[in-house]
Amino acid sequence: PIWLNEGLAEYEESKIKPVELGRLKTALKNNSLIGISSLDQTFSLMNGRRQQTQEEQDLIALAYVVSYTIAKYILHRFTRAHIQQLLRRLREGASINEALKRELYLSAEQLQKQWIEYIQSNYR
């Protein structure tokens, strides 16, 4: 999924350049986070040939920060070997839900719940 790819990329980039978390904090405060199941759809807004509206640009920017914090949570909770196995399963054609269940023993819903608890305790 795009969100995992972008989240891992943002995580690696954050080692050089800190990620701006203002949008995440605002979305957390306003209860307007993007759920895991909606992230890829949000990233698809970039695929059109037309210019995005300001609202769409803001949503895409939030999707990057959300993806980053999900990847950061996964990387802090699990080992790099887990991530490698997760990516291998995805490369072999497994859905994200199948790969999460097989490698992290979590459904997407469970991951989202744990991620929200993580950001609530770390980014308020």
Side-chain angles (χ1 to χ4, degrees):
I2 298 167
W3 66 264
L4 182 58
N5 184 53
E6 294 300 340
L8 292 171
E10 290 287 318
Y11 179 82
E12 290 302 319
E13 186 178 335
S14 75
K15 295 175 182 177
I16 299 166
K17 177 182 152 198
V19 173
E20 172 55 48
L21 298 171
R23 289 181 196 280
L24 179 76
K25 292 176 181 180
T26 299
L28 192 56
K29 186 169 63 173
N30 296 337
N31 199 26
S32 59
L33 289 170
I34 303 169
I36 291 173
S37 63
S38 301
L39 281 170
D40 279 353
Q41 182 180 0
T42 303
F43 281 116
S44 73
L45 294 171
M46 294 187 307
N47 292 337
R49 294 196 184 273
R50 65 173 177 75
Q51 181 72 27
Q52 290 95 18
T53 66
Q54 185 61 50
E55 183 179 334
E56 289 170 332
Q57 290 174 18
D58 292 344
L59 201 56
I60 292 165
L62 177 60
Y64 275 101
V65 178
V66 165
S67 296
Y68 159 74
T69 58
I70 295 170
K72 185 174 180 181
Y73 170 72
I74 292 171
L75 285 162
H76 284 276
R77 174 143 185 249
F78 300 95
T79 66
R80 287 213 178 248
H82 284 103
I83 302 303
Q84 289 171 337
Q85 287 298 100
L86 178 70
L87 294 172
R88 183 184 59 77
R89 289 217 185 263
L90 292 168
R91 187 175 58 247
E92 291 172 351
S95 71
I96 185 62
N97 289 326
E98 292 169 338
L100 286 170
K101 285 180 185 177
R102 299 278 311 256
E103 298 306 325
L104 306 184
Y105 307 104
L106 295 171
S107 67
E109 294 80 20
Q110 290 169 316
L111 174 60
Q112 180 165 311
K113 183 177 186 261
Q114 291 177 15
W115 162 71
I116 288 173
E117 291 169 0
Y118 169 79
I119 62 171
Q120 286 175 332
S121 63
N122 289 287
Y123 297 107
R124 282 223 172 221

